[in-house]
Amino acid sequence: MDNLVIAGREFNSRLLVGTGKFASSKVMADAIEACGSEIVTVALRRVDIENENDDMLLAIDRDKYLLLPNTSGARDADEAVRLAKLARAASSINWLKLEVTPDPYYLLPDPVETLKAAEALVKDDFIVLPYINADPVLAKRLEDAGTATVMPLASPIGSNQGMRTRAAIEIIIEQANVPVVVDAGLGLPSHAAEAMEIGADAVLVNTAIATAADPCAMARAFKLCVKAGRTAYNSGPAVAQRKATASSPLTGFLRDE
Amino acid sequence: MPATLLALLEQMNIKAPTIVAEIDGEVIDRQKFADTKINNGQKIELIRFMGGG
């Protein structure tokens, strides 16, 4: 078996999925089912007492899927730690996607505050999966602090630009002793395949599935590409070269020299 | 005014099982909603899970 193992827990699927931006809880539940994911991220927000609508959590079968609360909206370490504690109180789950994004335009994660929060949360027995820029030094620092994974971004959240940070992610993968989950910016199944081909342990996708015209079909496409990319990685990909090397024999040509 | 946190939630028609509450910055265990008295002037935060990536 070639399972993903995070913090000692095994998963068959290497595709983590976010639950934002879906048209309805039903579409979300169907897409999660279709992509075969076992880990789904959720956010924490204030209850809207004027508009008490359906509870999206009820659409997620928590025996089947591990809820991974995120700290989205946190602008510094203190806010992230507060959200983490609320998430644990709400879900009784100590797994956490740590994200600290003070920059409203590109939503890039703050490395200093993320590391600070990670250190505090690991001490407080959280299983921390930090969302980071593709910075190999930061990835190492977080691993040393005891995080369960590192989750470098491929490109800004929701931008669908694909593997813009590929070279740095390759270094992170080379150096990491914890699973590397490529998170954010994967806009197409082929982007996910690329991440898996270079040795990422998993990918996290939300926008590309949720905002597709047919989220369920796109979820299936991502599932297939994550599997294809992983299989290719395990198969030992051929090495890229500058010059041509013939695939057919260079002898026995039907010509007179 | 309701006497407890649980009564407040019921009055607002908010289902308690997936809610997390903070009173004056302190997280309240869900098991204690019924026993937690609320008073005038307290800051009560009610939070729940939403879709997110």
Side-chain angles (χ1 to χ4, degrees), chain A residues 17-34:
Chain A
V17 69
T19 57
K21 301 182 186 172
F22 283 95
S24 70
S25 294
K26 171 82 170 68
V27 174
M28 176 197 73
D30 290 349
I32 293 172
E33 175 81 39

Side-chain angles (χ1 to χ4, degrees), chain A residues 79-158:
Chain A
E79 288 184 2
V81 169
R82 178 182 173 214
L83 280 164
K85 288 180 178 170
L86 288 168
R88 185 162 63 182
S91 64
S92 308
I93 291 169
N94 63 343
W95 288 56
L96 186 79
K97 173 178 166 178
L98 172 62
E99 52 178 300
V100 185
T101 54
D103 154 36
Y105 299 105
Y106 295 97
L107 294 171
L108 293 172
D110 182 322
V112 177
E113 295 296 315
T114 302
L115 179 59
K116 200 170 135 193
E119 286 168 343
L121 292 167
V122 168
K123 277 200 192 97
D124 197 8
D125 295 326
F126 279 92
I127 293 169
V128 181
L129 291 73
Y131 169 63
I132 57 171
N133 209 322
D135 177 346
V137 178
L138 176 63
K140 263 291 160 205
R141 291 288 301 267
L142 285 161
E143 181 184 316
D144 291 346
T147 62
T149 63
V150 288
M151 304 210 293
L153 59 88
S155 48
I157 295 173

